[in-house]
Amino acid sequence: MNVDKVTALIDNTNTYKHYGKVLQVVGLMIESSGPVANIGEVCYIHTKNKQGPPILAEVVGFKKDKIILMPYTEVMEIGPDCLVESTGKPLTIKVGSGLLGKVIDSLGNNLDYSKLPTGLQNYVTEQAPPNPMTRPPIEEPIQIGVKAIDGLLSVGKGQRIGLFAGSGVGKSTLLGMIARNSNADINVIALIGERGREVREFIEKDLGKQGLKKSIVVVATSDQPALMRIKGAYTATAISEYFRDRGYHVNLLMDSITRVAMGQREIGLAAGEPPTTKGYTPSVFASLPKLLERTGASERGTITAFYTVLVDGDDMNDPIADAVRGILDGHFIMDRQLAERGHYPAINILKSISRVMNHIVDENHQKLALQLRELMAIYEENRELIQIGAYKRGTNHKIDQAIAYQPKIEAFLTQNTHEHHNFNDSLQMMKELLNGRNN
């Protein structure tokens, strides 16, 4: 044994525990005089009654010589002079293949209060995005199992997509279809800010038993503190990164990134940040790219990410929608008018785009998709004239074609929620649809 090393270790060991004291609680924030801690570190707040476990809180800022904490849970039991102890570490969760089929909270605990399986590893939830020079190009498509997406908006392994829609247009149902039908190895599903009743409904109806077997569901409901909603997104992303680094092809499905931004806004306002664009604080627009850039392809595996974006009043120029659209590799616009007509999934193909489609599909697939889009665009431009009977057949050959093929295109783009088509099936159906054009 090296005596010098042992002596040095003893000399550097702090034999005292240093505590701080709660000074005041203002809204969401707890002010404490000490202990020494860095931004992002987790602290324990020891309550006066000492019957339950200490309350977890995170350092989110400083104010002169005071530290500002935000708790992961409610602050009902916190009072003046409660002791604050720093763990010296950021939030760490347990990760491993034993989590498959489990439903956990933002801190990595089972929601059914059962113990986590053994053999899991510690993993820090906040990681840096990969170096851009280590990211391989996206060159291979991933099967989504939805005809409209595989055929006209093909997604690549490691691509990041935004699903933009107002409330009640079918975002969560589409996520369930992707989770069940996709050929990814593992699904990590983050339900952020959801209504409590919708969690079990999504798991049992939209995801189903088969989907849950290869999924890990992270839940932070709308009644939980803002920090828990934000950490739900970070925890789900960290779990995805863990499996990606072990060579898996992972689907990350987050519903919704808008509620993550709203949680960050709450924290920013409580910490004293000025509200800027529509009440959102600068930290919201700084944190979004850091979170979204963590997903994608790496040298070992891929994370194909789908983020739902809730747009108030179907306004696609909402500041969060605008910021997210600029970061991601494509956007699918879900149209309320299509949903009202019973067209499901209600994806507006002409307003949607997959930025990597031309790099991952062959030339024949591109031509088929372009021909379908052209027919749809011609019909859409003349929809009002056609519907009121003002257009006379034979006036324009292209419009006549678009009218003739509109019912077939509508049938191709609609799909029952429990209907499944593989990638090649979708391509073959497009060929059959268009090959009959001259008949």
Side-chain angles (χ1 to χ4, degrees):
M1 184 181 288
N2 192 323
V3 177
D4 291 337
K5 283 186 178 180
V6 175
T7 306
L9 183 63
I10 293 170
D11 290 340
N12 293 326
T13 301
N14 193 342
T15 55
Y16 294 92
K17 272 192 174 182
H18 296 276
Y19 292 92
K21 281 188 176 181
V22 171
L23 297 176
Q24 65 174 345
V25 178
V26 180
L28 304 172
M29 295 298 179
I30 301 166
E31 281 191 14
S32 167
S33 60
V36 176
N38 297 323
I39 294 282
E41 280 186 19
V42 175
C43 293
Y44 294 128
I45 301 177
H46 299 273
T47 56
K48 291 288 182 71
N49 58 27
K50 296 183 180 178
Q51 291 179 354
I55 291 171
L56 285 175
E58 185 175 303
V59 180
V60 295
F62 300 95
K63 194 174 183 181
K64 293 184 179 178
D65 56 345
K66 305 182 188 79
I67 67 170
I68 301 173
L69 301 149
M70 179 164 276
Y72 290 117
T73 55
E74 297 298 330
V75 295
M76 302 297 288
E77 298 178 1
I78 296 174
D81 295 333
C82 282
L83 295 179
V84 181
E85 177 189 356
S86 175
T87 62
K89 297 182 294 184
L91 180 63
T92 304
I93 58 167
K94 298 276 188 181
V95 191
S97 56
L99 285 182
L100 286 171
K102 303 289 184 185
V103 182
I104 61 175
D105 66 11
S106 301
L107 306 180
N109 303 313
N110 272 333
L111 272 187
D112 60 3
Y113 302 110
S114 62
K115 287 186 178 180
L116 289 171
T118 56
L120 303 180
Q121 298 181 22
N122 289 326
Y123 200 81
V124 177
T125 60
E126 294 207 31
Q127 303 281 341
N131 185 318
M133 293 304 293
T134 65
R135 290 181 184 265
I138 299 170
E139 296 175 337
E140 186 182 350
I142 185 170
Q143 176 185 295
I144 301 300
V146 179
K147 294 179 291 180
I149 297 174
D150 285 338
L152 294 163
L153 299 164
S154 304
V155 176
K157 287 183 178 178
Q159 189 175 354
R160 300 158 306 154
I161 293 289
L163 304 179
F164 292 74
S167 56
V169 185
K171 300 184 301 298
S172 299
T173 309
L174 181 56
L175 286 186
M177 287 178 72
I178 295 170
R180 288 194 312 272
N181 300 341
S182 167
N183 62 356
D185 301 322
I186 293 169
N187 296 315
V188 179
I189 302 167
L191 303 178
I192 310 298
E194 287 289 312
R195 303 173 188 89
R197 71 163 184 83
E198 289 183 336
V199 173
R200 192 165 173 182
E201 197 174 278
F202 174 84
I203 292 167
E204 292 181 0
K205 292 183 180 178
D206 295 331
L207 188 58
K209 288 183 180 179
Q210 287 300 113
L212 186 59
K213 281 182 182 178
K214 67 169 188 175
S215 301
I216 300 165
V217 184
V218 181
V219 175
T221 50
S222 58
D223 60 296
Q224 292 183 316
L227 193 59
M228 281 291 272
R229 281 175 268 144
I230 293 171
K231 290 301 171 185
Y234 282 87
T235 296
T237 306
I239 293 170
S240 304
E241 289 170 322
Y242 171 87
F243 285 106
R244 176 184 64 186
D245 293 344
R246 277 149 187 79
Y248 290 95
H249 297 297
V250 183
N251 272 353
L252 171 62
L253 304 106
M254 190 177 294
D255 186 16
S256 73
I257 195 69
T258 308
R259 294 192 179 109
V260 177
M262 288 175 174
Q264 185 64 49
R265 176 175 63 181
E266 287 180 42
I267 292 175
L269 290 172
E273 281 189 73
T276 51
T277 312
K278 285 197 176 179
Y280 287 99
T281 57
S283 63
V284 174
F285 301 100
S287 63
L288 278 175
K290 288 180 183 177
L291 175 63
L292 300 177
E293 284 291 343
R294 286 170 60 179
T295 55
S298 76
E299 294 172 323
R300 297 178 183 175
T302 61
I303 301 173
T304 308
F306 297 86
Y307 301 96
T308 67
V309 184
L310 187 64
V311 286
D312 292 332
D314 297 326
D315 177 17
M316 296 299 166
N317 295 317
D318 175 88
I320 297 302
D322 213 31
V324 171
R325 191 165 51 238
I327 298 166
L328 299 179
D329 308 317
H331 52 269
F332 298 167
I333 306 296
M334 301 193 72
D335 195 323
R336 190 175 298 278
Q337 288 184 348
L338 290 175
E340 287 169 352
R341 295 207 304 261
H343 180 116
Y344 189 83
I347 302 171
N348 189 322
I349 300 295
L350 296 176
K351 291 183 179 179
S352 304
I353 189 170
S354 170
R355 290 179 180 168
V356 304
M357 181 175 175
N358 290 341
H359 305 299
I360 60 172
V361 300
D362 59 34
E363 191 176 343
N364 183 45
H365 190 156
Q366 288 181 41
K367 285 180 179 177
L368 291 171
L370 193 62
Q371 287 172 348
L372 270 178
R373 275 181 173 268
E374 185 183 3
L375 288 168
M376 292 169 66
I378 291 168
Y379 186 88
E380 198 60 37
E381 285 173 11
N382 299 276
R383 177 183 287 275
E384 289 186 9
L385 290 174
I386 296 164
Q387 288 181 341
I388 64 173
Y391 174 75
K392 292 181 180 180
R393 287 179 182 266
T395 307
N396 185 300
H397 177 63
K398 286 188 176 180
I399 298 176
D400 290 343
Q401 276 188 336
I403 293 170
Y405 276 87
Q406 184 61 18
K408 294 180 182 180
I409 294 171
E410 288 274 347
F412 173 75
L413 295 178
T414 54
Q415 184 170 331
N416 189 282
T417 52
H418 291 280
E419 191 180 335
H420 172 257
H421 296 277
N422 64 39
F423 194 90
N424 292 329
D425 284 347
S426 300
L427 186 57
Q428 185 61 34
M429 291 171 77
M430 285 171 63
K431 286 179 182 176
E432 291 173 1
L433 191 159
L434 290 166
N435 284 343
R437 191 165 63 181
N438 297 321
N439 292 346

